[in-house]
Amino acid sequence: MIPRPVLWGLLAVGLLPHWSGVCSADAAPTDSLQYGAPAPIAQVRRDVDGDSIPDRVGDTVVVAGRVAAAPGALPLPEEGVGSLQDGTGGIHVRLPEARALSRGDSARVWGVLRHEAGLAQIAGIGYERVEAARRTPDPVPLSVPSAASDRHEGQLARVDGTITARSANRGGEYFVLREDESSDAQLTVFVSNQHTERIRLGRFDEGDRVEVTGIISQYDLSYQVLPRGEDDLVHIGQAWTYLRWALLGVGGLGLVSIAVILFLRSAVRRRTQELTRREAELKDRQMKVEALYSATDHLLRAASRTEVAGALIDLVREVLGYRGVSVRFAEDGALKAFDVAETTFTFMPERPDFNIEGDSAVAEVYRSGTTLAVEDVEEMEMDDPAAHGDLRSVVVVPIGEHGTFAVASPEPGAISGFDTHLIEVLGSYATTTLDRLDREKALRAAKEEAERARTEAEVARDQAEEAARLKSAFLANMSHEIRTPLTSIIGFAEALGDEVGDGNGNTGRFAGLIERSGRRLLDTLDGVLNLSKLEAGQMGLETEPVDLVTKARRAAEELRPQATEKGLGLTVETGRPEVWARADAGSVQIVLQNLVSNAIKYTEEGGVHVRVFRENGWAVLEVEDTGIGMDPALADDLFKPFRQASEGLGRAYEGSGVGLAVTQKATEEMGGQVDVETEAGAGSCFTVRLPEATSPEAEVAEGGKTEPIGEA
């Protein structure tokens, strides 16, 4: 026969989890008992002689169990007092330095068994924390008379009763708990001064019915229940008390033992059956998953809606084995049946299309994007049960924004949760494939649109090139067919005027009119040709250092007769003898002639002032007049072709309106800019800014060269 101490030790070890991950007390000395097998707590507390004092008081003992109250959690004056509990009982332990232990931890404690003031406790020498899932022992429901005994000392218990007295002493606060006011048995709920802020007893009054969860203790033959925290104290009602008494009255120990044995035998049998059933289910699931994995390639490679729907029906029929399968696609605001397995109609009739915004369950699945699983349709409220035939169970899953996919059976609960998940996976695969088909369709449409746009662009390019060719031919014809005879007309008019002289006849006057009209027409033609060449990039501009002072004086001299004829002054103001700009000499001459001639044309009194200077890296030409000016709001229109300050048949000034357009275009081609400031009745000031340059001598010294602008 196995000795009783050994049997108790084996029982304690069997009740505890496997020890690993050791933690030691901060100041625990090395002790051979640290490595000894723990004894059951009931054996440590054993009192053979019946003197209410454990027989092993003074011995060094080793116990193990769950921490019912962490060291320091019990509201006693002594520091580090907690409680340890195993399957045989509980005991107080004092470990002031065991900060690593928490409620629910598994621990092994060794120390000296003490018995002081009626309480048995272990004065801890060291401890080990066991790496195991944290679980607090369930409290034992006790009545006040049952708790007030040595039998449950050290255990976590739940006691309810009535507060019959409240008081305090030098050590702390307490109240007395009885079964009822007439009962003799009592428990004291005590909280020392060190813990009164953490556990407040002031919220309870005499006469309150309370439930206390805590460690059964005693002090000088006075039995106590010590709460671990404020949540261990709660008010209760009378009905709850009666319920607890009823629970405490269930069964005797013998009946419980028999019931446990029978239960274990039955549980083993059920567990064996369950494992067998689960093994079969797992094999079935594995076969289905492998079959689906092999067959879904056809679904993912589908090239049309028809192939997607056909693949879904084939997979469900062949792999999952369900007869009822249907695929609906969203079209024209409805979910229309696109493909239905023929075997579906063996147990249910054909179903109509469903309005997407309607109240049908299928439409709700499509709108919400969530799966509908019905184990038995007869348990649902339906307007017309006959419309579903023998249908009993159904799963409907969404196919993204494309439609729905349904699997049905005439058997209730036939579609398992695992199969429902596989159906959802198939629905997601179908969604992926249909999304791909939509993207491919959009890409094909975009490619066709791009090809069409490219063709149109090529046609437009060919037309533009043809238009440019015709424009070039037209400009050449204009230059040859109009400029040549026009020059001859002007020349003949000059000769005729010289021959007639200053006579008073009409011949001389007509000759002068012909000459002026011809020059006017030639100026217009030159302006149009220059503008066209600039816009077409055929002007052939070349940048080089150009002295704006020389150009300004030359233009003023050429146009001075016109100013003198109108009685206007024409001055050139320069702050230095030379102002060099990087520009095209011919274009600069055109700009000056246009600006100065316009200033003379639109000025009746005063004069025209031409200024040349440098400013912030620019070579600046400024032409200011005292002429008619114009509204500043209309100034931007001056640079548009064929726009003038004076327009219409009744205009007061001649001109084609292309001079300023040519001026702006030529300036910009040379990398410059032109601005205007004007005011009606006060005149205008045109400012041309061109990139500043050094003199030709400096250019040669620095290795500079002429740079072409545009195409020749």
Side-chain angles (χ1 to χ4, degrees):
M1 178 179 295
I2 301 175
R4 180 173 295 179
V6 175
L7 181 62
W8 280 109
L10 292 175
L11 177 61
V13 172
L15 290 173
L16 294 176
H18 179 70
W19 299 98
S20 62
V22 176
C23 300
S24 299
D26 294 344
T30 302
D31 194 302
S32 60
L33 283 173
Q34 178 180 355
Y35 307 103
I41 292 177
Q43 183 185 14
V44 172
R45 299 182 59 90
R46 187 172 56 181
D47 178 20
V48 176
D49 56 11
D51 61 354
S52 298
I53 299 175
D55 297 340
R56 297 187 61 183
V57 169
D59 292 348
T60 301
V61 297
V62 181
V63 296
R66 293 281 181 174
V67 177
L74 296 182
L76 295 172
E78 297 84 359
E79 293 184 0
V81 179
S83 172
L84 199 68
Q85 187 170 319
D86 66 7
T88 65
I91 192 167
H92 291 69
V93 295
R94 186 177 180 187
L95 293 166
E97 302 297 330
R99 293 185 294 272
L101 289 181
S102 300
R103 185 190 305 179
D105 284 346
S106 293
R108 181 172 180 270
V109 178
W110 59 93
V112 179
L113 181 64
R114 303 290 188 189
H115 189 270
E116 299 174 355
L119 178 66
Q121 62 177 325
I122 297 175
I125 297 174
Y127 74 95
E128 293 176 337
R129 181 178 177 276
V130 179
E131 293 298 331
R134 183 173 292 173
R135 180 179 61 80
T136 304
D138 295 328
V140 179
L142 298 175
S143 63
V144 173
S146 298
S149 68
D150 294 343
R151 177 183 175 187
H152 299 288
E153 182 181 307
Q155 285 188 314
L156 178 65
R158 179 178 289 119
V159 183
D160 61 81
T162 302
I163 298 177
T164 59
R166 287 187 68 250
S167 185
N169 55 32
R170 290 183 301 172
E173 301 177 5
Y174 65 91
F175 60 70
V176 177
L177 197 68
R178 299 177 186 270
E179 191 73 18
D180 52 52
E181 294 184 357
S182 62
S183 174
D184 292 333
Q186 68 179 36
L187 283 175
T188 301
V189 178
F190 175 76
V191 176
S192 68
N193 292 328
Q194 297 94 317
H195 300 271
T196 52
E197 292 185 1
R198 183 171 62 89
I199 305 176
R200 295 172 295 119
L201 298 184
R203 55 197 177 102
F204 300 97
D205 296 317
E206 290 186 22
D208 286 353
R209 191 75 178 169
V210 297
E211 180 185 78
V212 183
T213 301
I215 305 301
I216 303 299
S217 183
Q218 68 169 305
Y219 183 77
D220 286 342
L221 301 181
S222 173
Y223 290 97
Q224 301 175 332
V225 55
L226 302 178
R228 300 160 299 173
E230 194 161 273
D231 55 350
D232 282 347
L233 298 165
V234 294
H235 289 88
I236 61 172
Q238 196 68 25
W240 180 249
T241 302
Y242 293 148
L243 179 60
R244 288 211 173 272
W245 275 107
L247 293 174
L248 292 174
V250 177
L253 183 60
L255 292 176
V256 171
S257 300
I258 296 173
V260 168
I261 294 173
L262 294 176
F263 173 77
L264 290 175
R265 290 181 61 184
S266 176
V268 169
R269 186 182 301 111
R270 288 197 306 270
R271 183 60 177 168
T272 302
Q273 295 173 349
E274 177 69 15
L275 289 174
T276 303
R277 184 183 63 82
R278 287 197 174 188
E279 183 179 2
E281 286 184 356
L282 288 174
K283 289 182 178 179
D284 180 63
R285 291 181 179 183
Q286 183 177 2
M287 292 175 59
K288 288 181 178 180
V289 170
E290 291 176 352
L292 281 177
Y293 180 79
S294 301
T296 49
D297 184 65
H298 177 61
L299 172 61
L300 293 173
R301 293 178 179 273
S304 66
R305 278 186 166 192
T306 303
E307 291 186 11
V308 170
L312 287 174
I313 291 175
D314 292 343
L315 284 170
V316 173
R317 292 280 293 112
E318 296 171 5
V319 178
L320 301 183
Y322 297 107
R323 289 188 288 161
V325 193
S326 63
V327 178
R328 293 176 178 269
F329 287 139
E331 295 179 0
D332 302 326
L335 291 168
K336 299 181 179 181
F338 187 84
D339 198 354
V340 182
E342 290 296 332
T343 51
T344 304
F345 302 118
T346 61
F347 64 90
M348 63 178 294
E350 184 176 354
R351 300 290 292 146
D353 297 338
F354 297 109
N355 187 340
I356 290 178
E357 301 300 329
D359 298 330
S360 68
V362 176
E364 178 61 26
V365 169
Y366 175 77
R367 291 195 301 268
S368 65
T370 56
T371 299
L372 170 67
V374 180
E375 293 189 356
D376 192 347
V377 297
E378 291 189 356
E379 297 179 358
M380 299 177 60
E381 295 182 2
M382 296 181 292
D383 296 334
D384 185 10
H388 295 83
D390 293 331
L391 171 68
R392 294 299 297 274
S393 57
V394 63
V395 171
V396 185
V397 299
I399 310 177
E401 298 180 354
H402 307 281
T404 59
F405 167 42
V407 177
S409 173
E411 302 295 331
I415 306 176
S416 66
F418 181 75
D419 285 356
T420 299
H421 175 67
L422 294 181
I423 294 168
E424 290 177 327
V425 171
L426 289 176
S428 67
Y429 284 176
T431 302
T432 300
T433 302
L434 291 170
D435 287 344
R436 172 179 59 78
L437 293 176
D438 285 349
R439 289 193 300 271
E440 291 175 353
K441 182 179 178 180
L443 286 173
R444 285 194 298 270
K447 183 178 180 181
E448 291 172 359
E449 180 64 25
E451 184 65 23
R452 185 167 52 255
R454 185 184 66 80
T455 302
E456 293 175 354
E458 289 179 352
V459 172
R461 183 195 63 195
D462 293 342
Q463 292 175 347
E465 291 176 352
E466 178 64 15
R469 187 187 64 78
L470 293 175
K471 182 177 180 180
S472 298
F474 173 74
L475 292 176
N477 290 336
M478 286 277 288
S479 178
H480 179 71
E481 300 297 335
I482 298 178
R483 183 190 293 270
T484 301
L486 186 58
T487 303
S488 299
I489 291 171
I490 295 172
F492 289 138
E494 289 178 349
L496 184 59
D498 292 340
E499 184 177 344
V500 174
D502 297 330
N504 295 325
N506 290 330
T507 302
R509 184 169 61 85
F510 290 157
L513 290 173
I514 292 171
E515 180 184 352
R516 286 194 296 275
S517 297
R519 292 191 180 280
R520 177 181 170 187
L521 183 58
L522 184 60
D523 290 341
T524 300
L525 179 61
D526 288 340
V528 172
L529 291 174
N530 288 337
L531 180 60
S532 298
K533 290 180 179 180
L534 285 169
E535 290 178 344
Q538 298 177 350
M539 197 70 173
L541 305 184
E542 291 187 354
T543 61
E544 59 182 354
V546 177
D547 182 14
L548 298 187
V549 174
T550 301
K551 291 293 184 181
R553 287 174 177 168
R554 182 179 301 168
E557 290 303 321
E558 291 177 356
L559 297 173
R560 192 177 302 280
Q562 296 181 18
T564 302
E565 184 179 351
K566 295 184 67 172
L568 303 175
L570 178 56
T571 62
V572 177
E573 301 175 8
T574 62
R576 53 199 311 154
E578 294 177 344
V579 175
W580 295 93
R582 180 162 294 281
D584 178 75
S587 297
V588 171
Q589 193 66 29
I590 291 173
V591 168
L592 280 167
Q593 287 179 345
N594 285 339
L595 293 179
V596 176
S597 62
N598 274 356
I600 294 172
K601 178 166 59 175
Y602 291 107
T603 302
E604 300 299 333
E605 296 180 354
V608 177
H609 305 282
V610 181
R611 303 183 185 91
V612 183
F613 56 91
R614 291 181 179 175
E615 183 181 73
N616 298 329
W618 293 101
V620 184
L621 283 171
E622 194 173 83
V623 179
E624 183 178 8
D625 63 63
T626 57
I628 62 173
M630 67 181 300
D631 184 354
L634 304 176
D636 289 342
D637 292 337
L638 288 176
F639 298 102
K640 296 179 181 179
F642 310 109
R643 298 298 301 271
Q644 293 178 292
S646 173
E647 295 184 331
L649 296 176
R651 58 184 179 171
Y653 300 95
E654 299 175 349
S656 61
V658 298
L660 290 180
V662 171
T663 297
Q664 185 183 51
K665 189 67 177 176
T667 302
E668 291 175 350
E669 288 290 329
M670 293 185 290
Q673 60 189 39
V674 58
D675 301 304
V676 60
E677 295 180 5
T678 183
E679 183 178 351
S684 303
C685 180
F686 288 84
T687 304
V688 176
R689 292 180 174 83
L690 296 170
E692 188 178 5
T694 57
S695 64
E697 294 79 6
E699 287 276 329
V700 172
E702 296 175 4
K705 62 180 180 178
T706 301
E707 299 177 359
I709 299 178
E711 299 178 0

